[in-house]
Amino acid sequence: MKVIVLLADGARADWFASALNSGAVPSLARLRDEGALHAVATVFPSVTGMAYAPFLMGRFPGGVGLPGLRWFDRARTRCRWPDYCRSYTGYQYAYATGDIDPRAPTIYELVPRSVGILSPITRGLSSERKSLSLTPRSALRALRTHYFGSAADMLKVDREVATATVERAGEVPYLFAAFGSIDKLSHAEGHQSPRVLDALRIVDTTVAAVRDKLERRAEWNDTRVWITSDHGHSPVSRHEDLERVVRGLGFRVIAHPWTYGIAPEVAVMVSGNAMAHVYVDLAKRERPFIRGMSDRARALADQLLDLPSVDLVITPLSETSSEVHSLVGGHAIVSRDGGRYSYARQTGDPLSLGRDLLDLSRDDAQDACASTLYPDAIVQIAELVGASRSGDIILSAAPEWDFRSRYEPIPHVSTHGSLRREHMEVPLLMSHRPARTPRRTTDLFPSSLTALGCSIPDGLDGLTFE
Ligand SMILES: [Zn+2]
């Protein structure tokens, strides 16, 4: 058996399903007819890079050391003096592989001869196998294009990825390839723009060519082809400069691109741009949690909740529990005890679950959230709060809003990163019917290993559907 995972970066589950229905992508529609199409949960933050950890490591990103696209290294163990800040949008992208937990294996380490094309996590990929896919130079160019370049350039990169994918398909046991244009074009023109569909057509023709090649070699039925995504998209019309707001409240703030400051008090680290980690009391080397925060910092959490741009404010109480606040919905406590999850209403019901939930399994906790605005929110919040590099105040943006404005290199009309359904629900299209219904993107990693006959390591956050 061989496995091919094609990542249509930024494809939202409902948009993807209607694209298949529209007749625009016949090879993908054929896969659905013969195999299956499911909507599964990605991870919070629903952002490129972090949201690749499930595919490549089978883990939620916070737990392996990737809490967000930008983060502040309170412990000062990984990022350098003087700012101790990380941003994967520039040259520090190269540090992602070193930032991840060395004890958590990557797919490339577990599956010899595997290939990752535009993989942000490369540990275990030999330079020879990297160059078989895309050279580090073209990968860097692709990254720059993703964040700073034009949509036309990104389409060119996708075509390169398509060529490399077809070349390597069937030659290696596991192949991962990321197509970035859907995300890029969605940011620039909106997720419903016809050009976004053009970007999906590149994935469609790639699948057609891969299928043709494998059928000619009589290998199609021994190959699992999975097309999925790392996050969705939703329209944004209002951009809050969160760092400016916090500065206006009287704090000395560091935020990208200006992370150098004298005696900074608050670090504003935005991802997506519809989520943010806010770190307070920066001189402390350990997480203060809400009870250890200064009075000013605690007041900041309340002030942020008042902003129209903020939907949910999450304040960790400990590594295993947090308050979740919404301005109109009041607050509740989300907690985790090993693999069991609870939701206890306090002044209200911010996740609109209608009841308290005690000691649920991960699957039951997901089911409880299934029909709400925030699918899988209990598990996702609990897991991110448990990450040692997470912020002291975690924000999820309101519809039509995100958290960066004047330093954003390219104007954008669509955003992602939050806990809302439009960002959290992604498609999983499968060439063959699964043995069980997939739930999360974290399921792809153990499923790949099962399909390939490899043993599954302990500590994963997903279950095999193979
Ligand atoms: Zn994006």
Side-chain angles (χ1 to χ4, degrees):
M1 192 68 77
K2 295 190 173 89
V3 174
I4 298 174
V5 178
L6 304 183
L7 195 107
D9 192 308
R12 191 168 107 181
D14 56 348
W15 171 84
F16 188 87
S18 43
L20 266 58
N21 288 334
S22 75
V25 282
S27 302
L28 299 182
R30 189 175 165 198
L31 284 199
R32 177 202 55 199
D33 296 343
E34 296 172 8
L37 174 63
H38 291 278
V40 296
T42 182
V43 291
F44 181 53
S46 43
V47 175
T48 302
M50 293 67 262
Y52 282 34
F55 307 116
L56 303 171
M57 306 182 77
R59 299 278 304 272
F60 296 123
V64 294
L66 301 173
L69 189 65
R70 303 179 179 88
W71 54 278
F72 172 71
D73 185 7
R74 179 183 288 287
R76 279 94 163 145
T77 52
R78 181 69 200 154
C79 303
R80 290 197 198 123
W81 182 86
D83 62 331
Y84 303 105
C85 289
R86 180 69 87 230
S87 166
Y88 298 117
T89 62
Y91 72 97
Q92 292 189 338
Y93 162 83
Y95 298 158
T97 290
D99 289 342
I100 58 177
D101 184 346
R103 294 161 303 179
T106 68
I107 193 90
Y108 309 120
E109 291 170 316
L110 297 178
V111 184
R113 296 180 50 243
S114 50
V115 163
I117 303 174
L118 288 192
S119 174
I121 294 165
T122 54
R123 207 181 65 208
L125 268 182
S126 66
S127 52
E128 179 217 13
R129 273 182 289 137
K130 268 185 256 176
S131 64
L132 281 176
S133 41
L134 283 184
T135 63
R137 215 169 130 186
S138 59
L140 192 65
R141 197 182 63 225
L143 173 84
R144 256 190 249 121
T145 307
H146 187 98
Y147 289 110
F148 306 105
S150 72
D153 290 342
M154 199 69 216
L155 285 166
K156 225 182 286 171
V157 173
D158 273 8
R159 288 192 195 98
E160 273 183 59
V161 170
T163 305
T165 299
V166 177
E167 245 169 56
R168 305 307 304 160
E171 313 295 338
V172 293
Y174 176 90
L175 187 155
F176 174 88
F179 295 78
S181 294
I182 291 171
D183 184 51
K184 183 82 199 172
L185 281 156
S186 298
H187 282 301
E189 301 176 5
H191 204 45
Q192 303 296 337
S193 153
R195 291 226 296 163
V196 182
L197 203 54
D198 288 342
L200 186 63
R201 284 194 179 97
I202 298 179
V203 181
D204 187 66
T205 52
T206 306
V207 166
V210 165
R211 182 174 190 143
D212 183 52
K213 179 180 179 183
L214 297 178
E215 280 182 343
R216 274 190 281 114
R217 293 157 50 145
E219 289 176 6
W220 174 252
N221 283 324
D222 300 325
T223 307
R224 295 285 181 259
V225 179
W226 297 326
I227 293 100
T228 186
S229 168
D230 56 336
H231 61 75
H233 259 278
S234 71
V236 60
S237 51
R238 311 190 65 180
H239 308 287
E240 181 96 275
D241 252 330
L242 192 61
E243 54 92 16
R244 193 151 30 175
V245 170
V246 178
R247 187 167 293 136
L249 293 169
F251 292 89
R252 289 188 296 274
V253 178
I254 50 173
H256 293 93
W258 307 110
T259 54
Y260 303 99
I262 296 162
E265 296 167 301
V266 176
V268 173
M269 300 281 131
V270 176
S271 292
N273 293 332
M275 82 80 69
H277 286 287
V278 178
Y279 302 78
V280 299
D281 302 330
L282 299 187
K284 291 188 171 142
R285 300 286 179 103
E286 284 173 6
R287 300 171 81 184
F289 299 115
I290 190 110
R291 293 189 188 97
M293 275 157 60
S294 59
D295 292 343
R296 288 182 73 214
R298 258 200 304 272
L300 174 63
D302 295 334
Q303 289 164 316
L304 293 175
L305 184 58
D306 282 336
L307 298 175
S309 57
V310 172
D311 185 17
L312 298 174
V313 172
I314 299 157
T315 45
L317 296 160
S318 70
E319 276 169 10
T320 55
S321 68
S322 61
E323 290 180 356
V324 180
H325 295 256
S326 113
L327 189 58
V328 287
H331 90 275
I333 292 182
V334 167
S335 57
R336 175 175 60 107
D337 182 2
R340 312 290 294 181
Y341 300 84
S342 298
Y343 175 79
R345 293 169 298 170
Q346 306 292 307
T347 60
D349 184 11
L351 301 182
S352 305
L353 292 165
R355 61 199 164 108
D356 289 349
L357 299 160
L358 293 177
D359 198 35
L360 298 187
S361 71
R362 200 173 261 176
D363 287 357
D364 288 344
Q366 186 181 31
D367 290 342
C369 299
S371 58
T372 71
L373 293 173
Y374 312 102
D376 208 24
I378 293 176
V379 173
Q380 299 293 336
I381 289 169
E383 294 298 330
L384 190 61
V385 163
S388 61
R389 291 172 177 168
S390 281
D392 309 300
I393 305 168
I394 301 169
L395 306 179
S396 181
E400 293 286 346
W401 280 96
D402 65 10
F403 295 132
R404 266 169 71 89
S405 176
R406 63 188 157 148
Y407 295 120
E408 207 41 40
I410 290 173
H412 56 280
V413 299
S414 192
T415 193
H416 55 86
S418 84
L419 278 163
R420 297 183 78 90
R421 177 178 302 278
E422 307 87 281
H423 301 171
M424 285 298 298
E425 215 166 60
V426 296
L428 173 56
L429 174 63
M430 322 169 84
S431 58
H432 300 76
R433 281 177 213 282
R436 121 187 135 72
T437 304
R439 286 179 165 273
R440 298 184 175 87
T441 54
T442 46
D443 292 343
L444 271 86
F445 180 91
S447 305
S448 301
L449 293 173
T450 309
L452 294 167
C454 301
S455 56
I456 295 176
D458 292 335
L460 297 189
D461 293 320
L463 292 171
T464 182
F465 50 70
E466 264 296 296

